[in-house]
């Protein structure tokens, strides 16, 4: 999912994860994405993939 680092995208990712989805996040800031994954704020979060689309 792109745009999941903040705002609506983050809220959607959290909601999907709470419903049992395995979420793969994408964003430009590798450190920020990995920090979100490591924080445990998104249940059942699979991974973060960094880069530009």
């Amino acid at each position: 999912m792109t745009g999941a680092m903040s705002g609506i995208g983050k809220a959607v990712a959290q909601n999907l994860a709470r419903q049992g989805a395995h979420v793969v996040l994408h964003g430009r800031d590798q450190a920020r994405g990995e920090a979100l994954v490591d924080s445990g704020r998104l249940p059942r979060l699979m991974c973060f993939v960094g880069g530009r689309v």
Side-chain angles (χ1 to χ4, degrees):
M1 146 165 239
T2 62
M5 295 291 95
S6 64
I8 293 171
K10 184 176 179 181
V12 170
Q14 289 172 323
N15 191 8
L16 289 171
R18 284 189 193 107
Q19 292 179 40
H22 292 278
V23 180
V24 178
L25 303 177
H26 177 270
R28 293 174 295 202
D29 188 335
Q30 186 79 27
R32 188 172 163 197
E34 289 174 358
L36 182 59
V37 170
D38 293 340
S39 74
R41 284 182 279 184
L42 295 175
R44 299 183 68 163
L45 184 63
M46 289 179 64
C47 67
F48 173 82
V49 178
R52 292 188 175 263
V53 177

